[in-house]
């Protein structure tokens, strides 16, 4: 976990600088608050801030300080009384972290794990095609830190993520007496890299609610997390799409022998062909609900297999094609899978012309075969 790396870093800093007091921190975009919890338990005074409150926050207790508020980069959002600013996958605040650290105080440091590709007021676009988007973004965020007056060091964390490079700004490249000169350069750099020009004196900053923002077009995330899994699409619409696609796939005769006799597996088509089979209005409704066709296929994993640009019916005649993928994604304990046996109706038993190919199926064949779904305990940390 990043908290382990940060704690080791800060322990080394205390030994090198001869500090006795543990470092204080602000975690911007703290998410579930776990990093704040871990650092607080290690004795570091700090606060986590996120635009959206999480239910898990209540489980940490009053000793862990977490605040729900939007952070808009401006003169009002500075943290001179804290030693470190932390951005652990802080999304749109990632490029702003070195700016806020640089302007908070001369002694403020920052720790950042760049993730999603955000610029100061929009999406980041790479300028060097020879680099991957991630490599290019790491170069860019390091440049931001350097332009803000930091010596930026990079390290790779041992965390289960493809984006595990952290950037650390501990020391300045200038003496305190040059703060005003450096801050003017900061402003020039931000103006040069903002995508949207402001109508106020050709400057990037603008005033909102009497507070001068450093980028007039900066928009923090919404406090309401959008649903992106098609679950808000009406059930009858989903059923109509599934029916149209399965009917077309079953027109192809691909008969195999199974426990119950001959069974038609059907054909396979490209995702582009599948999209053409769906009424444009229905397809539009899928996209409006922050989902799409592949999300629908994942939600109906019992029925479809979508991979490598193709979609087909799941071949339940194969003994190795056992479906508990949704369980393993949601529950880390594989020993619990058997508890979900027969708790969902078998789609093939009801809708396939030859029914379900299995005599022993992990799904229920009719309401009389349906078991009650158990309630799993909530996991605090995953």
């Amino acid at each position: 976990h990043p908290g382990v790396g940060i704690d080791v870093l800060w322990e080394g800093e205390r030994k090198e600088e001869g500090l006795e007091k543990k470092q204080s921190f602000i975690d911007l975009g703290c998410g579930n608050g776990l990093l704040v919890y871990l650092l607080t338990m290690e004795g570091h005074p700090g606060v986590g801030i996120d635009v959206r409150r999480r239910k898990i926050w209540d489980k940490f207790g009053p000793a862990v300080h977490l605040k729900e508020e939007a952070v808009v980069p401006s003169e009002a959002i500075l943290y001179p009384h804290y030693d470190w600013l932390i951005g652990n996958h802080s999304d749109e605040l990632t490029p702003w972290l070195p700016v806020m650290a640089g302007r908070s105080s001369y002694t403020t440091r920052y720790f950042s794990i760049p993730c999603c590709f955000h610029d100061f007021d929009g999406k980041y676009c790479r300028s060097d095609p020879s680099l991957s988007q991630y490599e290019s973004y790491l170069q860019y965020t390091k440049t931001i830190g350097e332009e803000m007056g930091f010596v930026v060091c990079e390290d790779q964390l041992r965390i289960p993520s493809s984006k595990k490079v952290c950037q650390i700004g501990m020391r300045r490249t200038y003496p305190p007496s040059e703060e005003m000169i450096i801050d003017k350069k900061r402003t020039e750099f931000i103006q040069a890299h903002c995508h949207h020009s402001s109508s106020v004196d050709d400057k990037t900053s603008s005033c909102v609610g009497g507070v001068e923002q450093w980028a007039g077009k900066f928009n923090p995330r919404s406090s309401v997390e959008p649903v992106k899994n098609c679950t808000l699409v009406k059930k009858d619409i989903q059923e109509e799409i599934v029916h149209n696609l399965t009917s077309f796939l079953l027109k192809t005769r691909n008969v195999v022998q199974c426990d119950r006799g001959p069974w038609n597996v059907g054909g396979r088509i490209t995702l582009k062909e599948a999209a053409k089979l769906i009424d444009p209005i229905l397809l539009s409704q899928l996209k409006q609900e922050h989902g799409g066709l592949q999300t629908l296929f994942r939600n109906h994993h019992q029925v479809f297999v979508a991979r490598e640009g193709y979609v087909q019916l799941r071949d339940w005649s194969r003994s190795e094609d056992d479906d508990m993928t949704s369980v393993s994604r949601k529950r880390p304990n594989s020993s619990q899978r058997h508890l979900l046996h027969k708790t969902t109706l078998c789609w093939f038993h009801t809708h396939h012309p030859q029914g379900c190919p299995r005599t022993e199926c992990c799904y229920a064949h009719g309401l009389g075969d349906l078991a009650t779904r158990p309630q799993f305990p909530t996991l605090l940390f995953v």
Side-chain angles (χ1 to χ4, degrees):
H1 192 275
V4 178
I6 293 174
D7 193 45
V8 171
L9 171 70
W10 290 354
E11 183 179 355
E13 183 187 41
R14 290 195 302 275
K15 289 181 179 179
E16 184 177 338
E17 301 294 333
L19 304 174
E20 295 183 1
K21 187 178 179 181
K22 289 198 172 185
Q23 296 90 331
S24 58
F25 69 93
I26 288 278
D27 185 359
L28 299 173
C30 65
N32 62 16
L34 179 56
L35 178 57
V36 181
Y37 169 81
L38 293 174
L39 293 177
T40 301
M41 293 301 102
E42 289 296 322
H44 297 281
V47 179
I49 300 175
D50 200 279
V51 72
R52 182 170 58 86
R53 182 179 180 81
R54 309 301 203 274
K55 291 181 180 179
I56 196 175
W57 287 7
D58 296 327
K59 298 183 180 294
F60 292 128
V64 180
H65 303 292
L66 299 162
K67 294 170 62 177
E68 180 185 13
E69 66 180 39
V71 176
V72 179
S74 67
E75 294 297 327
I77 308 297
L78 295 176
Y79 306 99
H81 303 299
Y82 291 89
D83 299 317
W84 284 81
L85 302 191
I86 298 174
N88 178 17
H89 301 281
S90 53
D91 295 335
E92 73 277 4
L93 293 175
T94 299
W96 288 105
L97 202 71
V99 183
M100 290 187 284
R103 286 178 166 173
S104 288
S105 75
Y106 184 77
T107 59
T108 304
R109 290 86 81 191
Y110 77 89
F111 179 98
S112 175
I113 305 178
C115 180
C116 299
F117 309 120
H118 291 274
D119 210 336
F120 289 115
D121 63 346
K123 185 178 179 181
Y124 169 77
C125 297
R126 63 177 173 174
S127 56
D128 187 350
S130 66
L131 300 175
S132 69
Q133 181 83 337
Y134 181 52
E135 291 170 333
S136 178
Y137 192 58
L138 287 175
Q139 279 193 6
Y140 179 58
T141 52
K142 184 177 182 180
T143 299
I144 294 174
E146 292 168 344
E147 291 292 331
M148 297 304 117
F150 287 96
V151 176
V152 181
C153 301
E154 289 186 328
D155 200 357
Q156 196 166 81
L157 299 170
R158 293 182 179 180
I159 56 176
S161 171
S162 59
K163 298 181 176 68
K164 58 184 70 177
V165 174
C166 65
Q167 296 179 341
I168 305 162
M170 290 182 66
R171 293 176 176 83
R172 303 297 174 103
T173 57
Y174 62 94
S177 59
E178 296 181 8
E179 183 64 46
M180 291 184 66
I181 299 172
I182 296 298
D183 200 55
K184 183 178 179 181
K185 292 181 179 180
R186 290 174 185 143
T187 301
E188 292 171 352
F189 183 86
I190 295 168
Q191 290 176 1
H193 289 81
C194 280
H195 300 273
H196 307 284
S197 61
S198 175
S199 60
V200 184
D201 299 327
D202 294 327
K203 291 183 179 179
T204 305
S205 60
S206 65
C207 289
V208 177
V211 177
E212 186 181 31
Q213 291 183 218
W214 294 335
K217 298 296 182 180
F218 174 85
N219 289 312
R221 283 175 296 151
S222 171
S223 59
V224 179
E225 185 178 27
V227 178
K228 298 182 179 181
N229 58 5
C230 292
T231 56
L232 297 182
V233 179
K234 291 182 179 178
K235 188 175 181 180
D236 58 338
I237 293 176
Q238 295 189 51
E239 289 177 349
E240 183 177 347
I241 294 173
V242 171
H243 173 76
N244 291 343
L245 289 173
T246 53
S247 297
F248 184 85
L249 292 170
L250 287 171
K251 288 180 181 179
T252 300
R253 298 290 295 173
N254 181 14
V255 179
V256 297
Q257 292 296 321
C258 62
D259 295 347
R260 295 178 180 272
W263 192 72
N264 183 22
V265 179
R268 74 170 188 163
I269 56 176
T270 65
L271 294 175
K272 186 178 290 187
E273 290 172 328
K276 291 179 180 178
L277 295 173
I278 302 173
D279 185 287
I281 297 177
L282 297 182
L283 198 59
S284 175
Q285 286 184 277
L286 278 182
K287 293 179 179 178
Q288 286 175 3
E289 295 293 347
H290 301 281
L293 201 52
Q294 292 196 63
T295 305
L296 182 80
F297 292 147
R298 285 194 293 270
N299 290 349
H300 292 80
H301 57 271
Q302 181 195 155
V303 183
F304 297 107
V305 174
R307 62 169 69 102
E308 298 178 354
Y310 288 87
V311 62
Q312 64 190 63
L313 294 180
R314 187 176 290 277
D315 186 359
W316 283 100
S317 66
R318 297 164 49 195
S319 59
E320 64 270 21
D321 199 356
D322 193 6
D323 177 57
M324 280 295 170
T325 54
S326 64
V327 181
S328 61
R329 283 199 302 268
K330 294 177 181 177
R331 301 296 168 192
N333 188 354
S334 59
S335 65
Q336 295 177 328
R337 295 183 186 183
H338 71 281
L339 299 175
L340 296 176
H341 195 70
K342 301 287 186 181
T343 58
T344 304
L345 289 171
C346 177
W347 183 92
F348 289 93
H349 175 77
T350 307
H351 298 94
H352 193 282
Q354 284 98 40
C356 177
R358 290 191 169 185
T359 53
E360 292 294 331
C361 180
C362 59
Y363 293 96
H365 287 187
L367 294 175
D369 194 30
L370 190 64
T372 302
R373 187 180 183 89
Q375 294 294 321
F376 292 98
T378 301
L379 298 176
L380 181 58
F381 304 131
V382 294

